[in-house]
Amino acid sequence: MPGVSPPLPRLVATDLDGTLLHTDGTVTARTRAVLTALDSLDIPVVFTTGRPIRWMDDLWSDVGGHGLAICSNGGIVYDVATHSVTRSCTVDVDTLITVGRLLRAAIPGTTFALETTTGFAREEGFLPRLNVNAIPGVPLGPLESIVDDTVVKLLARHDELTPEPFWALVESTVGHLVTTTWSSMGTLVEMSAVGVTKASTLERLAADRGVRAAEVIAFGDMPNDLPLLQWAGSSYAMANAHPSVLALAANRAPRNDEDGVASVLSDVFGLSVG
């Protein structure tokens, strides 16, 4: 009916790097105020990120020490209040070994690392400048020797190819075995179990709370956000987003360094903060 405002979203889903966070990785006072205001309205904010859990520790106090986070591109649902993994979508060992074998044959020079429900492991040739000794207990060795049944994301890297051509090669080689995506500026492809994305995990999480896709507002900036933005009823690409994200999303938010997510949410929910 004319003059009737659309219903407000019942759930907010936002990526972190390049989206909610400034380029320096910080959360501004304005963004914190908006998150606090949404909490007071009982609007859940789910942080949907490619980051592993271990890269989130310094952020919990800024984004609120409660709620839920979808980490590792949908591989993990993390309860912030209890600091525990409540759901994981792992890649089976045989698939991991097969993917490694196929990629080595098709794209010589590819090296691998693993994100697991409990930490990280890598091959010696994967970013050798990493100071493994600074991370106690990190397994180091050939892919076949470090895989187990806790892997939620396989990382493939190449030091000579550029990002998008490498992603295309990986997808054409193993896209029938895993879900591939790309979210960094480097030549790094991320692989999850078939069908596992930020969107698939958020869909299950939202359904548990009786929230439909049409009632979700989502924000993102990189190709790993594409399934999320396609699924959500209201989608926003950051002004600084990858061209594929700008083409897909129905709406555009100001740049991450301009508090774009906070700006949109303030307008949508009529918040007087910041």
Side-chain angles (χ1 to χ4, degrees):
M1 293 177 60
V4 176
S5 300
L8 292 176
R10 294 180 56 206
L11 186 148
V12 175
T14 178
D15 175 50
L16 293 177
D17 296 287
T19 303
L20 187 76
L21 307 182
H22 274 216
T23 301
D24 63 3
T26 60
V27 180
T28 67
R30 179 187 185 191
T31 294
R32 284 195 296 271
V34 168
L35 296 176
T36 299
L38 291 176
D39 186 53
S40 69
L41 295 174
D42 291 326
I43 303 294
V45 178
V46 180
F47 307 105
T48 59
T49 179
R51 287 187 179 213
I53 296 170
R54 70 180 189 281
W55 288 3
M56 296 290 291
D57 286 345
D58 293 339
L59 286 175
W60 296 135
S61 61
D62 287 328
V63 299
H66 53 271
L68 295 168
I70 293 174
C71 300
S72 298
N73 286 335
I76 286 176
V77 177
Y78 189 73
D79 187 301
V80 182
T82 62
H83 296 286
S84 62
V85 175
T86 61
R87 181 179 295 163
S88 63
C89 302
T90 58
V91 189
D92 71 84
V93 170
D94 288 342
T95 297
L96 292 165
I97 292 174
T98 299
V99 167
R101 174 175 53 80
L102 291 173
L103 289 179
R104 284 196 193 99
I107 319 170
T110 301
T111 57
F112 301 98
L114 305 170
E115 298 287 357
T116 73
T117 56
T118 58
F120 177 70
R122 71 173 178 90
E123 293 188 322
E124 190 169 358
F126 185 95
L127 286 176
R129 65 180 179 273
L130 285 176
N131 185 4
V132 177
N133 293 328
I135 312 174
V138 171
L140 180 67
L143 178 65
E144 292 77 8
S145 71
I146 58 176
V147 294
D148 60 25
D149 59 4
T150 68
V151 176
V152 293
K153 189 164 67 171
L154 173 63
L155 307 176
R157 181 176 171 81
H158 206 285
D159 291 329
E160 297 177 4
L161 299 176
T162 52
E164 294 190 64
F166 182 55
W167 180 22
L169 286 170
V170 172
E171 171 62 26
S172 64
T173 304
V174 298
H176 60 296
L177 297 173
V178 288
T179 294
T180 72
T181 193
W182 170 57
S183 66
S184 71
M185 299 312 293
T187 305
L188 178 71
V189 174
E190 304 162 52
M191 290 167 274
S192 304
V194 170
V196 174
T197 65
K198 293 182 180 183
S200 67
T201 300
L202 182 64
E203 183 175 13
R204 293 175 63 186
L205 190 155
D208 291 344
R209 287 152 181 76
V211 176
R212 298 175 292 111
E215 299 172 305
V216 175
I217 181 171
F219 301 83
D221 74 305
M222 287 295 283
N224 65 328
D225 296 313
L226 290 170
L228 171 67
L229 298 176
Q230 188 171 33
W231 175 79
S234 182
S235 60
Y236 282 82
M238 311 307 292
N240 52 281
H242 186 271
S244 63
V245 178
L246 291 169
L248 175 75
N251 305 286
R252 189 170 299 189
R255 298 178 63 84
N256 64 314
D257 286 335
E258 298 171 351
D259 290 341
V261 173
S263 176
V264 170
L265 293 176
S266 293
D267 289 344
V268 168
F269 289 95
L271 305 176
S272 298
V273 296

